[in-house]
Amino acid sequence: MTVLLYLVPIALALGLIGLFAFLWSLKSGQYEDLDGAAFRVLSDDDLPSAPRAPAKREPQP
Amino acid sequence: MAEAVDYSIFLARDAEGRAEVSLAVDGVDCAACISDIENGVKSLPGVVHARLNYSTHRLTVAWSGEGAPADVVQRLESLGYRAHPFSGRVEEEEARRARWLLRCMGVAGFAAMNVMLLSVSVWSGNVTDITPETRDFFHWLSALIALPAAAYAGQPFFQSALRAVRTRKLNMDVPISLGVILALGMSVVETALHKEHAYFDSAVMLLFFLLAGRYLDHEARRRTRAVAGNIAALRGEMAHRLGPDGVPVLVPVQALGAGDMILVAAGERVGADGEVVSGASAVDEALITGETLPRLVGPGARVYAGSLNGSGVLTLRVTAGGEGTLIDDVQRLLDGALSARGAYVRLADRVARLYAPVVHLTALCSAIFWLVLGASVHDAVMIAVAVLIITCPCALALAVPVVQVVATGRLFRAGLLVNAGDMLERLAPVDTVVFDKTGTLTLPDAVLRLPRDADPRLLALAARLALSSRHPLATALARSAQGAAFAEVEERTGAGVVTRLPEGEARLGSLDFCEAQMPADLPADCSLIAFRLGDARLVIGIAQQVRSDARAVVDALKARGIAVRILSGDRPEAVAPVAARLGIADYEGGLRPADKIAALEKLKAAGHRVCMVGDGLNDAPALAAADVSLSPASGAAVTQAQADAVFIGQRLAPVLAALDGARTAGRLMRQNLALAICYNLIAVPLAVAGYVTPLVAALAMSGSSILVTLNALRAGTSAAGPAPATTVEEVRA
């Protein structure tokens, strides 16, 4: 049963890593805007492209 | 807006001391909107941070120096979005609670997974070849994880249970807390005595399930409240406050305080309760009393927030501003009605009141039973605690909230924002629906009614002339105008407008002003406005328009066996035609707020469950007095605060959807409670007989929880009533 000596700490450590990852993501506000994240991933704001004038948006009918 | 706008009341300081403001933004509906708005606002001078929350349609802006919210509003307007700042202190509080619940849930989830890992090893070891030392080691390890995790993640339940016990009440959290604490305590004792069974896994799994239900419940409510908050903020009620130098500055009504002087231009809504200092006008108090005929006011008269100023300019001294705006007697009636309604006890709490004593008594009896049979004290206590653990109301506590979450989500898609948590429970048994007329059955905007021989040429001229007047009746007429307004229009205060046309002098205003007679063929419920050109005269009626689907909704309500009534503050002769058109036989008009409450009390005394639907300030006490209340989003802010739910859009269909949804939800809640009680009827005898091992407890608990959750999901799919037609997006468009 000596295998427990390292298997149990490994299991606990994995669980704790998961818990801290969750707490960190919660603290950094990643659950604040779940719908927006789906759209933000599509925007190219990290590319050094030519500055684009803010597009004029047609008002809703 | 060329005028100076002072939004400083909405400015707050963030953690780093920067000026910060939150805005509700309208019209956000595409991925490109996010970068448009954020980049557009970030390019303003001094702005260091701009972040749009796409889920709630809120924009947060921070400045390095002094904040300038008016610039942001203007920039967004030029980009094509309507925006208005708002103060979200209440919502900030709720967001913090949501994060806390989620954190508790994360901790409980971590503990549940790891303890279960150890527990499964013990269970399989117990039937094979685990050594007692290894089992003790695993139990102590489980205790090491479960005890701190339960102490942290159990707080929402422990706190609520403590509050309930302190006020000598029982809620579901009392048996939950007791079950968790006993399960953990007994498990520690058992581990110390080197016994086979420990219930650490049951305790933390229970907490995890319950926290998941509670978090979802909280989030669903928070989401509807955010939308309701946006609607209220985007209405953007502003007032002209006179500065010390006599120059009017546009400020949000929340910034008004008692003693401020405000200027109310013709056709503007009054921003706060006040006393007229100078000026004379007629004010339309339809939103306050339901009366559609304007009331004449002069110096010394009291004017209430929400009333619409007629043709004159008024200077008011504010008597109650901001949140405190409310007519005294309405407030008094409201307080009375609220204290009368406080008696309602939620279904889950009613069950808890019965459940907790029965369960605790059963546990006690089974301990005594085993002692009498000659079992040892240890075994008897073990069995009693096993009874408590197996009856720990996991399924029972999930039975109601999960249905609520699913049903609230469905109503949200139908255009109904649920305000009160127990609204569905109270709405389900309703057998009488009482409508207010003005603004509820009818639309807030009016339509024209013309006499039979109306000259279209005169009407066209009248409409163009109406463009120059800010009187509410003229505004309704001006909507049909084709062409530009006339030049050189003179406004005669309290009478109308005059201009010179090639055909002669043209006048638009009251009947006296145009020397016109009331035509016989206009319906009695119209407000009248007259036009005179030379000697030709035209009298135009402005009538309220009944919501397009009002008749269908009233018929559908009747088909469901629900009595429909109208209680209106408007004149009886104005109520009668609307009632006739909708096929409502029971109606009363000319009611003051106290009369409405009396009428509702009479209905309630006759054994009816009453749902009140109203929008005006005069309805606020009646809404609080009814068993359950709904209000259209166009209603007065105070009224909406009293309503259990707010519906958006031009249609009345959400009222029907609410009723159907509530009935479905009520049925499912009862089913779920029955399921949970059935589970107990099977499990408790097993526990009393001493057959409940931790494995059985874990299976029974998760099994029953999953069963009630699956049953609750049916609240979202069952197709009762018409398909939801009004979506939030449609309303915004």
Side-chain angles (χ1 to χ4, degrees):
Chain A
M1 281 290 134
T2 45
V3 68
L4 290 177
L5 286 181
Y6 57 91
L7 276 186
V8 166
I10 288 176
L12 277 182
L14 283 175
L16 279 176
I17 289 171
L19 178 65
F20 282 114
F22 173 75
L23 290 181
W24 166 79
S25 66
L26 180 64
K27 196 166 182 190
S28 62
Q30 298 194 27
Y31 297 95
E32 306 278 301
D33 183 13
L34 293 171
D35 298 341
F39 288 113
R40 281 178 199 276
V41 74
L42 297 174
S43 72
D44 294 331
D45 53 358
D46 52 341
L47 297 181
S49 60
R52 186 175 65 104
K56 271 277 180 197
R57 197 175 148 283
E58 292 303 317
Q60 291 281 304
Chain B
M1 235 179 275
E3 241 167 323
V5 188
D6 182 5
Y7 282 122
S8 54
I9 181 148
F10 294 113
L11 278 176
R13 295 273 155 200
D14 70 359
E16 290 150 51
R18 300 179 301 193
E20 193 184 59
V21 75
S22 299
L23 302 103
V25 186
D26 190 26
V28 183
D29 49 14
C30 59
C33 297
I34 300 178
S35 54
D36 274 2
I37 290 176
E38 289 183 355
N39 294 337
V41 172
K42 271 183 198 153
S43 65
L44 288 169
V47 172
V48 291
H49 170 87
R51 177 101 183 163
L52 180 77
N53 186 328
Y54 190 85
S55 312
T56 54
H57 294 193
R58 301 278 171 77
L59 176 69
T60 314
V61 183
W63 286 266
S64 53
E66 282 304 296
D71 292 353
V72 176
V73 173
Q74 215 165 19
R75 169 59 58 92
L76 288 172
E77 204 154 301
S78 74
L79 289 172
Y81 305 94
R82 219 152 53 81
H84 197 274
F86 77 103
S87 63
R89 268 172 229 117
V90 181
E91 292 182 9
E92 185 51 44
E93 193 57 44
E94 288 195 336
R96 210 168 312 143
R97 186 174 162 81
R99 277 198 298 273
W100 179 54
L101 282 175
L102 201 55
R103 219 161 39 228
C104 289
M105 194 176 105
V107 171
F110 154 80
M113 281 188 281
N114 283 280
V115 172
M116 194 50 88
L117 184 83
L118 298 164
S119 296
V120 171
S121 315
V122 172
W123 297 336
S124 52
N126 273 346
V127 292
T128 52
D129 60 347
I130 196 168
T131 59
E133 293 76 30
T134 316
R135 188 170 58 214
D136 282 353
F137 171 60
F138 275 17
H139 277 168
W140 281 123
L141 212 54
S142 300
L144 187 72
I145 301 168
L147 291 179
Y152 183 80
Q155 283 176 72
F157 306 101
F158 302 153
Q159 287 175 4
S160 156
L162 256 182
R163 264 200 306 277
V165 169
R166 268 202 207 117
T167 51
R168 297 180 184 284
K169 283 194 189 116
L170 273 177
N171 61 12
M172 240 2 151
D173 291 335
V174 176
I176 291 172
S177 305
L178 218 58
V180 168
I181 291 171
L182 277 172
L184 290 173
M186 186 197 75
S187 302
V188 171
V189 172
E190 288 291 288
T191 307
L193 295 174
H194 312 291
K195 300 275 181 185
E196 261 178 56
H197 297 315
Y199 291 91
F200 294 112
D201 57 299
S202 294
V204 284
M205 195 171 60
L206 177 78
L207 283 178
F208 177 66
F209 277 136
L210 291 174
L211 281 167
R214 208 153 283 201
Y215 172 71
L216 287 176
D217 191 26
H218 191 263
E219 270 305 280
R221 202 122 13 99
R222 201 159 72 95
R223 190 170 144 202
T224 57
R225 227 172 270 172
V227 176
N230 278 3
I231 291 174
L234 283 167
R235 232 192 280 167
E237 283 159 21
M238 308 287 273
H240 294 274
R241 182 167 63 188
L242 290 174
D245 49 357
V247 179
V249 175
L250 206 56
V251 296
V253 293
Q254 290 91 330
L256 294 177
D260 281 351
M261 301 291 273
I262 58 170
L263 197 68
V264 186
E268 248 186 15
R269 232 172 240 294
V270 178
D273 290 359
E275 205 179 86
V276 179
V277 176
S278 65
S281 180
V283 290
D284 173 4
E285 295 182 328
L287 198 58
I288 298 153
T289 59
E291 167 69 60
T292 45
L293 286 184
R295 179 170 70 96
L296 290 171
V297 294
R302 287 193 58 112
V303 183
Y304 301 113
S307 43
L308 194 62
N309 187 16
S311 47
V313 177
L314 294 174
T315 309
L316 303 181
R317 179 181 294 113
V318 175
T319 50
E323 315 280 296
T325 293
L326 195 58
I327 310 169
D328 296 342
D329 51 341
V330 170
Q331 177 73 65
R332 192 168 41 76
L333 288 169
L334 201 56
D335 291 345
L338 277 178
S339 61
R341 189 168 79 178
Y344 183 82
V345 184
R346 297 183 63 155
L347 185 60
D349 289 342
R350 260 180 302 172
V351 173
R353 268 185 200 179
L354 276 176
Y355 186 77
V358 168
V359 163
H360 296 159
L361 220 65
T362 314
L364 188 68
C365 288
S366 49
I368 294 170
F369 171 75
W370 281 100
L371 279 178
V372 171
L373 283 191
S376 69
V377 175
H378 169 262
D379 287 351
V381 171
M382 267 293 286
I383 282 172
V385 174
V387 169
L388 278 182
I389 291 172
I390 202 86
T391 54
C392 200
C394 188
L396 212 51
L398 281 174
V400 175
V402 181
V403 174
Q404 227 152 25
V405 172
V406 179
T408 310
R410 178 166 156 229
L411 292 179
F412 180 74
R413 288 191 295 278
L416 196 88
L417 312 175
V418 177
N419 229 345
D422 51 0
M423 173 258 184
L424 289 169
E425 289 173 29
R426 282 185 280 129
L427 187 57
V430 156
D431 60 5
T432 306
V433 177
V434 176
F435 286 100
D436 170 48
K437 180 184 76 79
T438 320
T440 306
L441 285 173
T442 64
L443 285 171
D445 296 326
V447 287
L448 303 186
R449 293 255 180 275
L450 297 173
R452 253 186 292 284
D453 55 349
D455 182 347
R457 202 179 53 92
L458 279 181
L459 179 65
L461 288 173
R464 283 180 64 191
L465 183 54
L467 287 170
S468 308
S469 169
R470 296 182 71 178
H471 191 279
L473 290 180
T475 318
L477 179 58
R479 250 179 269 130
S480 66
Q482 287 173 338
F486 297 115
E488 291 175 29
V489 178
E490 185 192 340
E491 179 142 13
R492 305 261 171 92
T493 303
V497 285
V498 185
T499 191
R500 287 217 69 80
L501 294 181
E503 296 93 330
E505 190 194 56
R507 290 176 162 213
L508 179 75
S510 64
L511 264 61
D512 291 345
F513 182 57
C514 300
E515 293 160 15
Q517 298 295 319
M518 157 106 192
D521 56 348
L522 277 182
D525 59 334
C526 289
S527 306
L528 301 175
I529 186 169
F531 178 67
R532 176 179 173 187
L533 178 65
D535 285 330
R537 291 179 182 86
L538 172 68
V539 176
I540 302 156
I542 311 279
Q544 287 169 331
Q545 189 186 1
V546 175
R547 284 183 195 258
S548 60
D549 61 343
R551 176 81 206 215
V553 168
V554 168
D555 287 346
L557 285 175
K558 283 186 187 159
R560 283 164 178 69
I562 292 168
V564 181
R565 289 165 173 270
I566 299 180
L567 294 179
S568 176
D570 205 353
R571 295 159 293 147
E573 56 268 34
V575 182
V578 173
R581 185 119 59 91
L582 298 177
I584 300 174
D586 295 318
Y587 66 90
E588 284 177 71
L591 299 177
R592 297 180 315 108
D595 302 333
K596 285 198 183 190
I597 293 185
L600 289 178
E601 291 299 340
K602 213 164 74 191
L603 283 173
K604 281 164 80 176
H608 293 290
R609 299 295 192 91
V610 187
C611 169
M612 172 89 200
V613 189
D615 75 318
L617 199 53
N618 62 327
D619 295 317
L623 289 180
D627 290 306
V628 58
S629 52
L630 307 173
S631 174
S634 55
V638 178
T639 314
Q640 278 174 29
Q642 291 314 317
D644 294 310
V646 172
F647 61 93
I648 40 191
Q650 301 279 304
R651 292 153 51 97
L652 212 52
V655 175
L656 192 62
L659 215 75
D660 285 340
R663 289 191 164 186
T664 313
R667 207 176 55 236
L668 287 172
M669 279 177 200
R670 268 158 230 284
Q671 273 176 18
N672 269 354
L673 287 175
L675 277 176
I677 287 168
C678 262
Y679 150 80
N680 277 313
L681 287 182
I682 298 169
V684 171
L686 285 179
V688 174
Y691 287 121
V692 169
T693 60
L695 176 61
V696 173
L699 285 179
M701 235 179 241
S702 46
S704 62
S705 300
I706 289 168
L707 195 65
V708 293
T709 309
L710 287 180
N711 191 40
L713 289 180
R714 299 200 301 140
T717 51
S718 57
T726 326
T727 65
V728 181
E729 277 67 32
E730 257 175 68
V731 173
R732 289 216 187 89

